DNA sequence: GAGTGGTCTAGACCACGGT
DNA sequence: CCGTGGTCTAGACCACTCC
């Protein structure tokens, strides 16, 4: 295999070789050539395939490892990251209990309802689809220490998940579901946080009072190529919890 | 100069050479040998000084650049990052307006009061000092689009800032103040977010109503060695703003 | 032109994991 | 034992910046 190198006469749009290698390898993930959990070829083998040095391949692999796309294990090889890896799991779950003496487990969720509906303007904008285009909407509740404290509304374009209605149940970790059933890898996400007051739905679902402060988390999850896949709005009672951020 | 290499007979506690180099270079920052804005020696020069190869120095410098401690400029050299670098400025300010058509400027702050007080138990725990030990407490208000929306309470151990009371005024960017007057570099921080209700102080300060939801941000800022320097509690009206997080 | 960081290569030795 | 990734080295060429 040969990498398409740019015209050496011009340096505009120049991309370093290791970046081109990385793009090639990400393409193998996007196309499903490399599946989660797979042992990918060794650095030496990839270097031969791509006609570059081992050091250049290493730089690409290191970058992908830093983005949680790969897992490297000395003596064994390099593997495609799996959504159930605990590290990945907590990559997208920043809410923890204030009292961290107990290491907080990943909270189980209880399904409230799920149905296909026409998308709202907000969903359409977030998911880059037409307004009114069908979306699956999933409502869940999460418990921490036996108390229901988080409501979660997931919206995802129906065309993204063909055959979704044939599912018998929805697992706790939907990112693993996207991966195993539709080959979609959630690679990154952005979240916007606000403080809001609880509404009647929150009260009915969580058993709290109205007018209680809640943390609203609006997440857009994206695939390997940066396309929006899922909109998730979580509303959380933060009396005994907080959202933790590390800078950098 | 010679690096202290570990006993080659044992591999427990082994630290790669580039990590030892990084530690050495960070020490130069901690000790003030390298001041913010300074042009540090070239890779070749550092390699000679430390008796390692240029590649090893590069790996250490790249890591420090990734942590925003250094800034590299091709053809010019490597420089110690300055607190007023716009990149660094926004590293610690995640609040932005919902309407991002206008690129949000760093909001100016208005000083309410500052005084030295005995530390509360909370401050003492956050700053790793004895309860009741004196702290400077600074209260400010930040405006966005002409509206007061953020109250900010900064607590910092008095012993950290000798001669603080001789200051005539407190600048908007206190991290730059810490750096220029006391040689303290804020290198990282962790934040915990909660939703709360506005209290009477908030109302008096921001002119909002009581019982309005607010985003509470509790930040502990740390120096190069990870020691807590400053506790900052911000309370923000998030009607027209949000806290933005990117994962990873 | 001299010096800097940015990229790319080639080869060495090591620790680790499995055979 | 072999193959893997992890580290370290040495040297080449390039683009950028300043003189």
């Amino acid at each position: 295999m040969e990498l398409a190198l740019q015209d050496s006469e011009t340096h505009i749009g120049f991309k370093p070789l290791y970046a081109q290698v990385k793009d090639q390898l990400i393409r193998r993930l996007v196309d499903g050539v490399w599946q989660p959990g797979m042992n990918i070829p060794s650095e030496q083998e990839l270097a031969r395939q791509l006609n570059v040095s081992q050091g250049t391949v290493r730089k690409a692999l290191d970058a992908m490892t830093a983005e949680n796309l790969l897992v490297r294990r000395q003596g064994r090889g390099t593997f495609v990251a799996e959504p159930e890896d605990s590290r990945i799991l907590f990559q997208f779950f920043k809410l923890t209990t204030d009292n961290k003496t107990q290491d907080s487990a990943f909270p189980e969720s209880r399904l409230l309802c799920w149905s296909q509906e026409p998308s709202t303007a907000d969903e359409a904008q977030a998911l880059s689809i037409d307004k009114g285009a069908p979306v699956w909407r999933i409502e869940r509740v999460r418990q921490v220490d036996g108390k229901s404290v988080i409501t979660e509304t997931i919206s995802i374009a129906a065309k993204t998940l063909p055959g979704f209605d044939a599912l018998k149940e929805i697992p706790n970790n939907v990112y693993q579901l996207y991966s195993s059933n539709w080959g979609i890898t959630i690679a990154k996400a952005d979240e916007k946080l606000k403080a809001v007051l609880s509404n009647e739905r929150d009260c009915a679902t969580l058993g709290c009072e109205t007018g209680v402060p809640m943390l609203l988390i609006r997440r857009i999850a994206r695939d390997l190529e940066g396309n929006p896949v899922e909109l998730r709005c979580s509303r959380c009672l933060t009396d005994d919890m907080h959202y933790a951020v590390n800078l950098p």
Side-chain angles (χ1 to χ4, degrees), chain A:
Chain A
M1 183 182 305
E2 189 75 42
L3 285 180
L5 293 163
Q6 298 91 351
D7 179 3
S8 61
E9 293 298 322
T10 173
H11 294 283
I12 49 176
F14 167 76
K15 218 174 190 183
L17 199 46
Y18 66 82
Q20 299 176 48
V21 170
K22 182 183 162 189
D23 289 347
Q24 288 274 327
L25 302 186
I26 285 187
R27 179 122 301 277
R28 299 194 187 183
L29 296 177
V30 172
D31 295 345
V33 180
W34 289 346
Q35 303 279 335
M38 263 185 63
N39 189 343
I40 73 172
S42 72
E43 297 179 351
Q44 292 287 2
E45 171 59 20
L46 288 173
R48 274 191 299 274
Q49 287 182 17
L50 301 169
N51 285 308
V52 298
S53 76
Q54 189 208 14
T56 301
V57 170
R58 174 177 294 263
K59 198 158 180 180
L61 293 180
D62 283 346
M64 293 172 70
T65 301
E67 295 174 31
N68 289 321
L69 301 179
L70 301 176
V71 177
R72 317 193 72 175
R73 278 177 257 190
Q74 184 173 141
R76 297 189 53 196
T78 304
F79 301 80
V80 181
E82 299 187 76
E84 62 267 30
D85 286 350
S86 61
R87 221 178 69 262
I88 309 276
L89 239 171
F90 283 98
Q91 175 184 358
F92 297 118
F93 197 80
K94 300 289 193 184
L95 281 167
T96 48
T97 57
D98 289 340
N99 184 4
K100 61 177 177 181
T101 54
Q102 56 197 345
D103 35 1
S104 50
F106 191 65
E108 286 296 315
S109 61
R110 182 167 59 83
L111 183 66
L112 291 182
C113 61
W114 57 300
S115 59
Q116 188 172 324
E117 309 280 352
S119 63
T120 65
D122 184 49
E123 288 169 330
Q125 188 259 331
L127 299 174
S128 296
I129 58 177
D130 293 331
K131 183 185 172 211
V135 294
W136 287 103
R137 211 172 285 145
I138 305 167
E139 312 237 353
R140 304 198 292 190
V141 181
R142 288 190 187 273
Q143 294 196 338
V144 174
D145 292 343
K147 294 198 319 200
S148 299
V149 286
I150 307 174
T151 69
E152 194 174 75
T153 303
I154 298 175
S155 306
I156 182 165
K159 71 174 193 303
T160 306
L161 306 182
F164 182 75
D165 48 355
L167 283 182
K168 292 182 184 58
E169 60 176 344
I170 296 177
N172 189 28
N173 181 354
V174 293
Y175 290 174
Q176 189 173 357
L177 178 74
Y178 299 160
S179 171
S180 59
N181 286 33
W182 290 276
I184 296 172
T185 300
I186 300 298
K188 43 186 174 286
D190 41 84
E191 299 194 329
K192 295 181 179 179
L193 283 69
K194 276 176 183 279
V196 297
L197 292 182
S198 59
N199 56 31
E200 280 138 27
R201 277 178 70 89
D202 298 320
C203 306
T205 310
L206 301 177
C208 63
E209 319 232 322
T210 52
V212 162
M214 298 188 76
L215 186 62
L216 169 63
I217 307 172
R218 186 177 190 273
R219 174 196 299 171
I220 298 177
R222 302 174 187 279
D223 66 15
L224 286 163
E225 300 174 291
N227 305 313
V229 171
E230 178 203 88
L231 171 67
R232 180 179 304 206
C233 292
S234 302
R235 301 168 66 89
C236 178
L237 294 170
T238 54
D239 295 320
D240 306 313
M241 310 200 41
H242 63 263
Y243 184 98
V245 184
N246 283 322
L247 315 172

